[in-house]
Amino acid sequence: MKFEAMELLFGKNTSKQMIPKVTLLAIFAILVFTVTPFSYPLFRNPSSMKNIKQSNQPSTAFDLLNESASLPSTSTKKCDIFTGEWVPNPKAPYYTNKTCWAIHEDQNCMKYGRPDSDYLKWKWKPNGCELPIFNPFQFLEIVRGKSMAFVGDSVGRNQMQSMICLLSRVEWPVVVSHSQNDYFMRWHYPTYNFTMASFWTPHLVRSKESDLKGPGSTGLFDLYIDEPDENWITQIEDFNYVILNGGHWFTRSMVFYEKQKIVGCHYCLLENVPDLTMYHGYRRAFRTAFKAINNLQNFKGITFLRTFSPSHFENGLWNQGGNCVRTKPFRSNETQLEGFNLEFYMIQLEEFKIAEKEARKKGLKFRLYDTTQATMLRPDGHPSKYGHWPNENVTLYNDCVHWCLPGPIDTWSDFLLDMLKMEGVRSAEERRLHLHTN
């Protein structure tokens, strides 16, 4: 406690007052440090305390004391949280389709009759440490007064809806969207002054569908690979956290434009247009997106690259009868990343490394939010045919791309909370170093 605070509590010291005041202060300190660890897991983390001190809003943590005390805390032990195995968790799930209205119909596997439930009963166990289950009370305290943007395709929206459901144990958000467009939603948590937003941008760069069918009957898209999509890049400058993702839309036919001129394509079958493959478009899209973030004039937030989420189609492609019918996770020695899943993942890592180096020069922070291995091991977590009624005419009949809610991607919030806690640790270390050097 600072000396100024001591004076406010006890008045200025005199020689006659010193002994009783020190005694009172010692007793007060003992009580605080004895009671606090049992009262609320938030107070075990210095980064969370920082957010409380900076906030002008009253905390509701103590109003929720009985509930929050039964939830796990979050460790700040350093280890590779992204490498590990799935282990049984009989306590899951932490919400259902009956308790959370934010679940998109296409991922509402319980509603549409998925017969098994074992896919709900797992948690991620990193090698060498523990990753605690998401604590919504801690999360909301850490992000108090802040904002978070999910930028990318519908799997990113899938993740945001998972988080809304997990946070519903504390508070439901209020819609504060500027429009009624489901692709661009904003949610606000009044008690914590926390805002979440979703910016749908399937290619991250400016794109448009030029042919509804195209060579592969999945559409033909024009991608301007040197121009970020203005629908998100013009909106994120004031956000504290930006979670970027992208992937599956790049498997469709595309024509690549650079400086407004065609430079190549992926499976477009256009005369005199070289096929540069989808990997060229994917690499250039992320390079452009990262560069655009680094070039923002007033952006001071943290950019998280949430890495590629593999699909699990077996016995055919998504539009050729492929399906995902497994009912339990893989062990890490039972499968491996390969094919376009591996290529997309490696491209992300390579472009992230370049962008992160450039960001450091400008005082910006890029973080690798590496969910790929954990996600690769969950072929059992997709809706398959349980995202619609049997006789419905839908484009993706067997969905092995998105994730059931509740389901495996609830664990992505476990990862994110741990990363935010580590940001607090980093900030504290940086402050200590700064004090030592001055």
Side-chain angles (χ1 to χ4, degrees), residues 12-181:
K12 291 186 178 180
N13 291 325
T14 66
S15 58
K16 292 181 180 180
Q17 293 174 320
M18 180 61 73
I19 293 174
K21 288 173 183 176
V22 170
T23 304
L24 286 171
L25 185 58
I27 293 170
F28 177 73
I30 291 169
L31 285 171
V32 169
F33 287 105
T34 302
V35 174
T36 296
F38 295 101
S39 64
Y40 187 56
L42 165 68
F43 297 115
R44 297 172 190 161
N45 177 37
S47 67
S48 298
M49 283 297 292
K50 175 173 73 74
N51 283 281
I52 293 175
K53 290 176 183 176
Q54 290 178 346
S55 173
N56 293 323
Q57 294 195 8
S59 171
T60 60
F62 292 103
D63 297 333
L64 299 165
L65 182 60
N66 292 332
E67 281 190 76
S68 64
S70 66
L71 290 169
S73 181
T74 302
S75 169
T76 56
K77 178 181 177 182
K78 292 182 179 180
C79 79
D80 180 6
I81 59 172
F82 302 117
T83 302
E85 302 282 357
W86 291 93
V87 298
N89 178 24
K91 295 181 180 180
Y94 297 94
Y95 63 90
T96 70
N97 65 325
K98 299 293 186 183
T99 64
C100 183
W101 49 255
I103 301 173
H104 195 282
E105 283 293 287
D106 296 344
Q107 287 98 53
N108 197 340
C109 304
M110 291 178 171
K111 173 180 176 178
Y112 290 105
R114 179 163 175 168
D116 61 312
S117 60
D118 287 349
Y119 72 96
L120 300 170
K121 303 291 185 180
W122 299 89
K123 67 177 181 179
W124 182 249
K125 170 66 174 68
N127 296 334
C129 65
E130 295 292 330
L131 178 66
I133 299 298
F134 182 76
N135 185 324
F137 302 93
Q138 277 193 337
F139 179 86
L140 284 170
E141 286 293 355
I142 289 173
V143 299
R144 182 185 285 276
K146 297 184 178 180
S147 55
M148 180 176 290
F150 292 84
V151 176
D153 58 25
S154 53
V155 178
R157 187 176 60 198
N158 197 177
Q159 178 187 2
M160 188 182 80
Q161 290 163 344
S162 161
M163 183 171 285
I164 291 174
C165 290
L166 290 168
L167 293 176
S168 67
R169 288 177 285 167
V170 181
E171 185 171 64
W172 287 109
V174 177
V175 178
V176 291
S177 303
H178 300 316
S179 70
Q180 297 301 311
N181 190 336

Side-chain angles (χ1 to χ4, degrees), residues 219-239:
L220 177 65
F221 294 83
D222 292 338
L223 266 65
Y224 298 83
I225 56 177
D226 56 346
E227 300 178 35
D229 184 353
E230 291 190 357
N231 287 321
W232 68 271
I233 195 60
T234 59
Q235 300 295 316
I236 66 163
E237 202 155 14
D238 294 329
F239 280 83

Side-chain angles (χ1 to χ4, degrees), residues 272-409:
N272 298 323
V273 178
D275 194 320
L276 302 178
T277 78
M278 60 184 172
Y279 304 122
H280 177 81
Y282 194 65
R283 182 181 297 279
R284 288 302 308 276
F286 271 96
R287 185 176 298 176
T288 296
F290 288 146
K291 183 178 179 181
I293 293 172
N294 277 332
N295 286 339
L296 288 173
Q297 293 297 313
N298 300 310
F299 180 65
K300 304 298 180 185
I302 302 174
T303 302
F304 294 89
L305 170 62
R306 202 265 298 147
T307 56
F308 184 65
S309 172
S311 59
H312 291 92
F313 291 101
E314 296 186 69
N315 301 314
L317 299 176
W318 71 271
N319 57 346
Q320 296 176 4
N323 204 352
C324 41
V325 296
R326 296 180 185 268
T327 56
K328 65 178 183 179
F330 286 124
R331 298 284 297 175
S332 61
N333 61 357
E334 292 177 334
T335 188
Q336 62 182 3
L337 208 60
E338 57 188 7
F340 83 89
N341 289 323
L342 175 61
E343 196 68 28
F344 276 5
Y345 176 65
M346 294 306 298
I347 288 171
Q348 284 185 323
L349 297 188
E350 291 161 8
E351 293 302 319
F352 173 86
K353 185 177 179 180
I354 295 168
E356 195 270 338
K357 183 178 179 180
E358 191 62 30
R360 280 202 309 270
K361 296 177 184 177
K362 299 183 177 184
L364 297 176
K365 298 177 181 179
F366 275 51
R367 301 289 183 248
L368 190 65
Y369 184 5
D370 194 349
T371 58
T372 299
Q373 184 196 354
T375 309
M376 174 187 68
L377 299 180
R378 293 307 305 268
D380 57 321
H382 300 286
S384 181
K385 63 181 179 180
Y386 298 108
H388 53 83
W389 299 118
N391 296 325
E392 278 189 76
N393 183 19
V394 294
T395 302
L396 190 59
Y397 192 85
N398 296 325
D399 186 353
C400 305
V401 173
H402 302 94
W403 301 91
C404 292
L405 295 182
I409 67 166

